[in-house]
Amino acid sequence: MTQSLAQAMAAFAPELPLAVGYSGGADSTALLLACVQKWPGQVSAVHVHHGLQDAADDFEAHCQRVCAALDVSLTVQKMDASHAPGQSPEDAARRARYKAFEALALMDKAQVAIKSIAIAHHADDQIETLLLALSRGAGLPGLSAMPQRWTRAGLRYYRPLLRVSGADIRRWLAEQDAAFVTDPSNVDERYTRNRIRAQVLPALAQCFPHFRDTFARCSAHAAQAQAILLEVAQQDLALVGVPPRIKLLQALSQPRLANVLRHWLHSCHQATPSAAQLDELMRQIAACQTRGHALHLKIAQGFCERRGANLHWYNL
Ligand SMILES: Nc1ncnc2c1ncn2[C@@H]1O[C@H](COP(=O)(O)OP(=O)(O)OP(=O)(O)O)[C@@H](O)[C@H]1O
């Protein structure tokens, strides 16, 4: 169920000391203030200077001022977040951000070992992520949307506001009379996410007043089902071996074959096949009935081929 910011903060119990990913925007300003109020002296801030916009220097200066006024230690990480061809600028910025957080892993400016990072994604961000996944035709991992907590490179990440609506965060922030910056790229409707926020969420609210709760429940169901699929894929991969034996792959049902192939390609090769590539691979595995039957096809950024009894993936 959706929570108020106060309820979300009452339930938030991270390992301390905690750093807050602080962009200077409204959401992370609210999270920083709420954490500082709850754990005075045990919270620091991390600001990633993306170098993407001319305004980035101003954002950093704003964060410096606010943290100085709050007596919060601020670490600024400068990252080059320019995006590669085919990569979205938002995705490049997000990847650069996680690298910067990991680089901190983790000493802040005051040389305190940081154990936890909180970021200010909220319920509307979660719905936007789910709708983006639906629009891409994503499978269960995409429909699971964003987890509330996870661990990476020894660092615990939290999204304590994931069940709080954006409007509730703004209301709370207005009561605090706190200054924040507005990133112009957040309202630029050339980005799909911003169009969803401006056009789709208001329409959803009209049609399905409880959509934040019900959509979040769908994501929770998807996440649970995905966890089971992962367990099955791990068991099946142990059974067929690495590299997988074609005969053993042929003994699996079609859904389990698809599941284990996706898992093998992703976990062993960081390769994600398109739906059409996976269908073709499954068709060719089924057709591989004679000793001399060759199998060779493009999968993600590399190729799958038959070598003797096994299926191999390689990248040129
Ligand atoms: N430059 C940054 N430095 C540090 N943390 C960041 C930065 N940008 C984003 N974050 C963290 O990641 C969260 C999600 O980022 P995103 O850009 O999707 O959100 P946002 O809605 O613009 O949030 P905000 O209002 O806090 O800027 C932010 O709330 C913040 O905690």
Side-chain angles (χ1 to χ4, degrees):
M1 290 293 277
T2 359
Q3 297 173 313
S4 67
L5 185 139
Q7 286 169 327
M9 285 305 298
F12 181 33
E15 205 175 336
L16 299 171
L18 170 75
V20 173
Y22 176 44
S23 66
D27 305 329
S28 54
T29 301
L31 182 59
L32 180 64
L33 287 180
C35 290
V36 168
Q37 288 171 14
K38 183 162 178 181
W39 299 287
Q42 301 206 67
V43 176
S44 60
V46 186
H47 177 75
V48 181
H49 184 298
H50 286 309
L52 277 180
Q53 313 177 7
D54 298 340
D57 291 338
D58 299 339
F59 292 168
E60 180 193 331
H62 168 87
C63 293
Q64 297 280 12
R65 276 195 302 277
V66 171
C67 287
L70 289 172
D71 198 19
V72 162
S73 152
L74 171 72
T75 305
V76 176
Q77 291 277 111
K78 289 214 189 307
M79 294 300 289
D80 172 18
S82 43
H83 60 108
Q87 190 183 32
S88 82
E90 294 152 298
D91 195 38
R94 191 169 51 246
R95 280 169 197 273
R97 201 147 71 220
Y98 285 111
K99 263 207 204 130
F101 290 156
E102 274 166 31
L104 268 183
L106 278 113
M107 289 287 172
D108 72 0
K109 204 176 75 185
Q111 297 294 297
V112 176
I114 301 294
K115 295 214 168 59
S116 315
I117 295 238
I119 48 183
H121 283 122
H122 51 69
D124 297 354
D125 297 323
Q126 182 73 323
I127 304 288
E128 290 158 24
T129 303
L130 174 62
L131 293 175
L132 282 169
L134 280 171
S135 71
R136 285 196 313 269
L140 287 180
L143 303 186
S144 308
M146 298 187 281
Q148 197 138 23
R149 67 179 75 87
W150 74 104
T151 301
R152 192 158 104 180
L155 190 59
R156 286 174 215 269
Y157 288 88
Y158 297 89
R159 292 191 176 104
L161 306 183
L162 208 48
R163 287 160 61 192
V164 184
S165 72
D168 200 76
I169 294 176
R170 302 277 165 148
R171 259 195 307 275
W172 185 88
L173 195 58
E175 286 163 16
Q176 311 296 311
D177 201 18
F180 58 88
V181 291
T182 304
D183 181 343
S185 71
N186 278 354
V187 288
D188 182 341
E189 292 197 20
R190 278 173 303 174
Y191 295 114
T192 316
R193 187 180 277 279
N194 296 339
R195 284 199 303 280
I196 293 176
R197 189 176 309 141
Q199 299 170 21
V200 182
L201 297 196
L204 278 175
Q206 285 270 319
C207 196
F208 309 113
H210 301 294
F211 77 99
R212 284 188 186 80
D213 289 335
T214 53
F215 283 28
R217 216 178 308 142
C218 285
S219 284
H221 289 314
Q224 199 171 51
Q226 178 53 31
I228 297 172
L229 285 187
L230 180 62
E231 274 182 29
V232 173
Q234 285 164 343
Q235 287 165 7
D236 284 348
L237 190 59
L239 193 84
V240 299
V242 176
R245 290 177 70 84
I246 292 171
K247 269 267 152 308
L248 297 176
L249 288 173
Q250 287 169 338
L252 294 173
S253 68
Q254 290 295 293
R256 279 175 81 149
L257 176 60
N259 190 41
V260 76
L261 287 172
R262 259 194 238 103
H263 176 63
W264 164 59
L265 289 164
H266 186 260
S267 64
C268 299
H269 303 295
Q270 292 78 52
T272 306
S274 69
Q277 289 172 342
L278 190 66
D279 282 352
E280 182 55 19
L281 179 58
M282 289 168 62
R283 206 185 59 73
Q284 293 210 17
I285 288 170
C288 216
Q289 296 294 349
T290 56
R291 198 179 264 270
H293 192 110
L295 184 159
H296 188 265
L297 75 162
K298 174 119 179 67
I299 294 285
Q301 67 278 26
F303 295 87
C304 258
E305 71 176 13
R306 175 181 182 176
R307 289 186 202 160
N310 300 331
L311 187 65
H312 280 260
W313 185 90
Y314 67 95
N315 198 355
L316 289 177

